[in-house]
Amino acid sequence: MTPSSRYVLGLVAGACALAALPVSAVTAAPPVAHFTLTNGLEVVVVPDRRTPVVTHMIWYKVGSADEPAGTSGIAHFLEHLMFKGTAKNPAGRFSQTLAAIGGQENAFTSVDYTGYFQRVAREHLPMLMEFEADRMTGLVLTEENVRPELDVVLEEHNQRVANNPSARLGEQVQAALFLNHPYGRPIIGWRHEIEQLTRDDALAFYRRFYTPENAVVVVAGDVSVDEVKALAERTYGAIARRGEGQARQRPQEPPPSAVRRVILADPRVAQPSLQRSYLVPPGHGRHLPEADALDVLAHILGNGSTSRLYRVLVVEKEMATSAGAWYMETALDPTRLGVYATPRPEVSLEKLEEALDQAIAEVAANGVTAEELTRAKNRMVADYVYAQDNQSTLARLYGAALATGSTVAEIQAKPGRIRAVTAEAVRAAARRYLDKRRSVTGYLVKDGREEKRS
């Protein structure tokens, strides 16, 4: 099996049905346990006894932003190669065993982490942990299995990026936003560097980063903490640590000072579009107060048909067919808040951008309404509550948090913090961070020509 990479991780969508309930009635967190083995491997256990199923995930604290210069794409390439087998479990055995017992598996790479997960009946958890512990140290790579997989990755690049104008624009916007930080590199890599990746590159990356002190194991489902701890100590705990963990000290961004714009022209573009990314703080540690306000701001601006941007650009001014916003809070370093819109056929991108700027300036100048604030916070708390009903979502939530500098306590406190966000905090976040000098605006246009000036 060749796993497909998933670029964006998120929570399941919720509704506002729980809005009238008190916070304590809707934000009770599951009884999560978090401990560290003597070799440095972290373990999170989220018991859920409703069904005899478990979700097992292992997160390595390494992603595209940790790649050595000149080897972009090696984190994602290694994700593929991790399915090539070990001396103990040759290629295909892990996946075939899972398929035989009705299990599911996949993997993903992001800027800050790489993860592998399985979902099986609870009695198979010991087997899963043995398989994963084995491939943490025993991966066998040969020229015969590396080169064909590189061709698979290059074809994935064709499908996901090269033949997708919108994805290509997003890649260019991200590269232009991060002048110095490695977040400017695409997760899948720059094609000219992917083509040069070798077996030696993969093994060096594997030996450096795939170590117990650089990993987090999350088990959610029909298990007890004592049971998982005993299994983890027997399997993962038998692996010797190979260092003190990786110091993730990356080059940081200089203070942004210039408005930036990129224009991508492609004959395959059926409909022009606009996307913009702002440089903003991540959602952990000392950044939490502003991050929570930015999270609420993004919901108010662009989450659904009741959002500010949709209402102004699509409904009231009838200039766009779609509009929205998002905030990528799960990141180790300064991250992105994005806005986007697609114009109606008779509207130029310049006119649409002008209207978008006006809508954002209105929020920065006058803030948001009490109704907007309440609706956004209720929906966000509901999202958190509904996440408790999904093992995979919970496992992803905790794994991504611990891999990017956050903590279990911060995740569990999120609903209360969201409830505490004020209209003034949202306005302050908009005024400080939705400054075009902190952003890159991308135009996607057709036929190799810029949009005609209106």
Side-chain angles (χ1 to χ4, degrees), residues 305-321 323 344 347 352 355 358-359 362 369 372 375:
S305 60
T306 60
S307 67
R308 179 73 71 97
L309 294 182
Y310 190 95
R311 190 179 73 249
V312 171
L313 301 179
V314 178
V315 179
E316 295 175 2
K317 295 188 176 182
E318 298 184 341
M319 298 181 68
T321 59
R344 290 177 179 265
V347 178
L352 181 60
Q358 290 172 355
E362 170 65 21
T369 67
E372 287 176 320
R375 182 170 58 238

Side-chain angles (χ1 to χ4, degrees), residues 298-366:
H299 272 72
I300 291 173
L301 281 178
N303 188 11
S305 60
T306 60
S307 67
R308 179 73 71 97
L309 294 182
Y310 190 95
R311 190 179 73 249
V312 171
L313 301 179
V314 178
V315 179
E316 295 175 2
K317 295 188 176 182
E318 298 184 341
M319 298 181 68
T321 59
S322 66
W326 49 269
Y327 169 47
M328 189 175 290
E329 65 173 324
T330 305
L332 184 65
D333 294 320
T335 181
R336 295 175 289 156
L337 185 151
V339 295
Y340 60 89
T342 302
R344 290 177 179 265
E346 70 278 9
V347 178
S348 70
L349 287 174
E350 289 84 359
K351 286 296 184 183
L352 181 60
E353 183 181 3
E354 183 180 331
L356 174 69
D357 288 341
Q358 290 172 355
I360 291 173
E362 170 65 21
V363 172
N366 301 316

Side-chain angles (χ1 to χ4, degrees), residues 63-75 185 193 201 204-205 208-209:
S64 60
D66 301 294
E67 296 165 336
T71 62
S72 67
I74 191 64
R185 289 198 295 259
E193 293 187 345
D201 292 331
F205 197 78
R208 179 180 177 187
F209 292 107

Side-chain angles (χ1 to χ4, degrees), residues 45-55 119-123 125 219-225 227-228 391:
V45 185
V46 189
D48 178 1
R49 299 291 192 174
R50 289 173 293 181
T51 58
V53 174
V54 295
T55 296
R119 182 175 169 86
V120 296
R122 70 173 313 280
E123 61 268 23
L125 179 60
V219 179
D222 189 13
V223 292
S224 69
V225 174
E227 173 187 9
V228 173
Q391 282 183 16

Side-chain angles (χ1 to χ4, degrees), residues 38 40 65 80 107 139 150 159 170 213 228 238 306 313 349 381 385 434:
T38 56
H80 280 245
L139 182 65
L150 187 60
Q159 295 176 0
E213 66 275 10
V228 173
T306 60
L313 301 179
L349 287 174
V381 171
V385 174
L434 300 192

Side-chain angles (χ1 to χ4, degrees), residues 5-235:
S5 297
R6 297 185 180 180
Y7 282 63
V8 179
L9 304 180
L11 295 177
V12 291
C16 299
L18 306 176
L21 296 179
V23 175
S24 60
V26 297
T27 60
V32 176
H34 177 212
F35 53 89
T36 302
L37 304 185
T38 56
N39 61 6
L41 183 136
E42 293 182 76
V43 183
V44 177
V45 185
V46 189
D48 178 1
R49 299 291 192 174
R50 289 173 293 181
T51 58
V53 174
V54 295
T55 296
H56 171 276
M57 305 186 76
I58 182 164
W59 300 70
Y60 291 98
K61 298 177 185 178
V62 60
S64 60
D66 301 294
E67 296 165 336
T71 62
S72 67
I74 191 64
H76 172 250
F77 185 33
L78 180 57
E79 175 212 315
H80 280 245
L81 295 176
M82 284 292 285
F83 290 79
K84 295 306 178 184
T86 67
K88 182 178 178 181
N89 296 294
R93 180 178 292 176
F94 192 173
S95 296
Q96 290 164 6
T97 302
L98 278 170
I101 61 176
Q104 302 170 339
E105 67 171 338
N106 215 320
F108 48 85
T109 306
S110 188
V111 291
D112 291 312
Y113 48 74
T114 309
Y116 304 84
F117 71 90
Q118 304 85 26
R119 182 175 169 86
V120 296
R122 70 173 313 280
E123 61 268 23
H124 300 300
L125 179 60
M127 175 196 69
L128 288 183
M129 298 177 87
E130 289 169 1
F131 270 120
E132 283 290 17
D134 176 45
R135 71 174 173 178
M136 182 182 284
T137 59
L139 182 65
V140 174
L141 298 180
T142 65
E143 293 296 339
E144 290 71 24
N145 63 20
V146 168
R147 183 65 221 186
E149 199 62 37
L150 187 60
D151 293 335
V152 171
V153 171
L154 288 170
E155 180 56 30
E156 184 179 344
H157 184 275
N158 286 338
Q159 295 176 0
R160 290 180 176 270
V161 182
N163 294 319
N164 185 333
S166 181
R168 289 175 57 212
L169 177 62
E171 190 176 81
Q172 293 299 312
V173 169
Q174 184 171 336
L177 182 66
F178 293 101
L179 301 175
N180 195 44
H181 193 284
Y183 282 169
R185 289 198 295 259
I187 293 172
I188 200 169
W190 298 114
R191 188 178 183 90
H192 69 286
E193 293 187 345
I194 301 172
E195 292 171 341
Q196 302 302 315
L197 295 177
T198 67
R199 171 181 176 271
D200 289 343
D201 292 331
L203 285 173
F205 197 78
Y206 170 72
R207 290 164 180 158
R208 179 180 177 187
F209 292 107
Y210 279 53
T211 64
E213 66 275 10
N214 204 44
V216 179
V217 170
V218 183
V219 179
D222 189 13
V223 292
S224 69
V225 174
D226 289 343
E227 173 187 9
V228 173
K229 188 170 186 179
L231 288 172
E233 288 175 341
R234 191 184 80 207
T235 54

